[in-house]
Amino acid sequence: MQRTRRGLLGVGAAAAAGLSGCFGVEGVEYPDAADEGPPTSEDGGDGSDDDGADDDGEPVPNEDLATATRNVVDDVVWFATEYPSAIETYRTAIREVVAEIDAVRDVADETDTVTAGMADRLDEAGRAAADTAADALGPHFHPRPRIVSRTERHVAVLREFAPRGDVDRFLEELSRMRRGFSAIGTLTYAKEAYSRDPIHNRLLRRLLSPLPEDDDERRRVRGEAFVELGLASRGFATFAHEPYDDEEYDRERIPQIYGQPFGASRREELRARLGPIPRSEDRTEELFVAFATRPVAGNRPSRTFEGWVHELDGVPLYVQRYPDAATAGDRLDEAIAAASTGGRAPIDPDATAAGSDFSGNATAEGEAGDGGENGTDDEPTYRGPTRWHRLYHHEAEGERYGFDEHAGVQYGYVVQAGEFVLAAGFSGDAWEERTAWQGRLADGWVMV
């Protein structure tokens, strides 16, 4: 059952086609938001289904898709570049609390005296650490509540016994506070609590945005998702999915997945399928994504998945970022000029279900045909999901009859969204000869 999507269908237009195929670093306390919802002015979009405008007032192609893509790419870049220093800042803040606890203990030992001021001093240290950690890890993670609650729990006890002059009980609580903060300051703890392997914070929600409104459906989509991320431009790769509960399942019942996300050979294979679409000139980011199904845990050991990541048959998505929309438009024009096109159509499988032909034109009366997104006197404004260029190009080798004896053709989809060029669904099978090629990509952010 497909989830409800923003801007799903006016009357409907569609197509179907694709490629199945398939790219490392760590949980977290965060609100399990039902959905990041449509783009808002705070996110950089206006929340409407119409194209927006850039800073110069020029229309931005497919602004909703551009905003959703920007959210994903920006978060992946943060994990690739800023995450390590953010984790170190967090750990340094925790170490400073531990140092303050040691300093208070030294004074209490030397003077055989405890005061409420000592408790206030530690309360201030804990809250300062919470602020520092929140600044470093937010808004990706939310460490503040965890640090503050731990601080308040221990400080409340210290404030209770300090006025009584109960040095022994005060020092006992200091020891407990020190052990607790030392534990959450370890690298192992930090990488598990604020994980990038697997990622399951807001980036996972953004990859699957918009999530269903129904709680059960939302949990199902999140629980079944397994996304590979390879940011080739930064040399970074990881997985995004819900972690397996190793307290509930024995290790032999937890799927074992080998290999790195989108390794070099798979990246080259996908680039070859894409033909003229990869354009490195002026490109600032190159992101490989593959949407697969997360193997189930808890089956009998003999049935638990154990294999290489490419065996999960993730559906690839290729994203290139350029300095601005104008540059992205130029690169897309160059790719199209070097290949052939066959109209435009949505890649949303729900659009196909609503009715369309395979020429890229909607069959419903009153719906705009190819090229009618903005509307004219003769054609109404197109209100369906984003329509992608259906592009095909000749490969050096065929995949079907005759193999190497005859040239093959790769069929797929490409679209510009703001400063991004996205490509998906490339295969040696023609668009009209494939159905349901989207697989788990249908849960992804690009279905707008």
Side-chain angles (χ1 to χ4, degrees):
M1 176 179 178
Q2 295 295 335
R3 65 209 163 98
T4 302
R5 298 190 186 89
R6 167 172 48 83
L8 178 56
L9 294 175
V11 178
L19 159 70
S20 73
C22 312
F23 201 155
V25 219
E26 272 166 291
V28 49
E29 284 182 1
Y30 55 81
D32 186 12
D35 181 9
E36 297 222 332
T40 65
S41 57
E42 186 174 323
D43 294 327
D46 61 5
S48 71
D49 288 332
D50 297 328
D51 286 346
D54 61 18
D55 294 338
D56 297 324
E58 296 296 323
V60 176
N62 300 309
E63 178 62 13
D64 283 353
L65 179 56
T67 299
T69 304
R70 195 174 300 120
N71 286 341
V72 168
V73 174
D74 284 350
D75 272 13
V76 177
V77 170
W78 182 85
F79 274 107
T81 60
E82 299 183 44
Y83 174 87
S85 63
I87 289 294
E88 185 54 35
T89 298
Y90 161 83
R91 295 185 64 212
T92 298
I94 300 300
R95 286 195 293 266
E96 289 175 354
V97 177
V98 173
E100 198 70 7
I101 294 171
D102 289 340
V104 168
R105 183 182 184 101
D106 289 344
V107 172
D109 276 335
E110 290 175 6
T111 64
D112 195 28
T113 303
V114 292
T115 67
M118 292 176 173
D120 294 341
R121 176 178 172 182
L122 295 179
D123 182 63
E124 183 179 345
R127 294 181 186 278
D131 290 342
T132 299
D135 289 343
L137 292 169
H140 306 273
F141 300 101
H142 305 279
R144 185 193 303 273
R146 186 176 298 187
I147 298 172
V148 169
S149 64
R150 185 177 294 270
T151 299
E152 290 177 341
R153 183 169 66 250
H154 293 293
V155 167
V157 175
L158 297 175
R159 285 176 173 158
E160 180 178 355
F161 288 96
R164 303 175 187 177
D166 192 338
V167 177
D168 187 56
R169 180 65 182 88
F170 191 96
L171 293 178
E172 179 186 37
E173 194 62 30
L174 279 185
S175 294
R176 292 176 179 175
M177 187 176 185
R178 189 187 196 285
R179 286 197 300 272
F181 273 92
S182 294
I184 67 172
T186 64
L187 184 59
T188 298
Y189 175 89
K191 286 189 173 182
E192 289 180 355
Y194 312 107
S195 173
R196 72 170 179 177
D197 185 20
I199 289 172
H200 53 99
N201 71 329
R202 77 170 187 179
L203 175 54
L204 180 58
R205 298 195 299 275
R206 287 180 163 184
L207 288 165
L208 303 175
S209 179
L211 284 159
E213 295 182 3
D214 178 76
D215 289 344
D216 291 338
E217 270 296 286
R218 185 167 65 251
R219 281 191 290 269
R220 181 192 65 79
V221 170
R222 283 188 61 125
E224 293 179 357
F226 185 95
V227 185
E228 297 177 70
L229 298 168
L231 191 62
S233 49
R234 308 277 181 164
F236 172 75
T238 192
F239 299 107
H241 62 84
E242 293 281 17
Y244 290 101
D245 189 345
D246 55 9
E247 293 184 1
E248 181 178 356
Y249 302 113
D250 296 335
R251 179 176 175 81
E252 61 184 1
R253 296 178 184 269
I254 295 178
Q256 300 298 307
I257 301 169
Y258 307 119
Q260 292 296 308
F262 264 116
S265 61
R266 288 175 59 213
R267 295 198 300 271
E268 287 306 312
E269 178 187 354
L270 182 56
R271 289 190 187 105
R273 286 184 179 273
L274 295 169
I277 293 174
R279 301 260 161 185
S280 60
E281 183 182 359
D282 300 321
R283 185 173 63 203
T284 59
E285 305 292 352
E286 183 185 30
L287 176 65
F288 294 78
V289 187
F291 288 83
T293 299
R294 176 176 175 263
V296 177
N299 290 331
R300 288 179 296 178
S302 61
R303 296 186 178 181
T304 300
F305 177 85
E306 183 174 6
W308 295 92
V309 62
H310 66 80
E311 295 174 0
L312 297 175
D313 292 328
V315 179
L317 173 69
Y318 182 69
V319 182
Q320 298 176 100
R321 185 180 212 167
Y322 293 95
D324 48 50
T327 304
D330 290 343
R331 298 298 166 261
L332 177 59
D333 289 345
E334 292 167 3
I336 290 175
S340 301
T341 57
R344 283 187 283 182
I347 64 170
D348 190 334
D350 285 350
T352 301
S356 71
D357 59 28
F358 283 98
S359 67
N361 298 315
T363 57
E365 183 178 354
E367 193 73 14
D370 184 58
E373 287 95 330
N374 298 322
T376 65
D377 292 339
D378 299 321
E379 288 185 303
T381 300
Y382 178 76
R383 297 296 182 187
T386 301
R387 291 190 300 165
W388 298 46
H389 293 277
R390 301 191 316 161
L391 182 144
Y392 62 100
H393 65 92
H394 288 79
E395 284 288 89
E397 297 180 359
E399 294 183 0
R400 302 170 65 81
Y401 182 86
F403 299 104
D404 294 347
E405 298 176 20
H406 304 283
V409 173
Q410 287 288 314
Y411 301 83
Y413 295 85
V414 62
V415 73
Q416 179 190 357
E419 70 270 31
F420 302 96
V421 174
L422 300 89
F426 275 77
S427 169
D429 295 330
W431 311 293
E432 61 269 28
E433 294 184 342
R434 292 179 284 169
T435 57
W437 65 268
Q438 299 89 348
R440 285 292 169 189
L441 177 62
D443 292 324
W445 85 90
V446 295
M447 296 294 158
V448 294

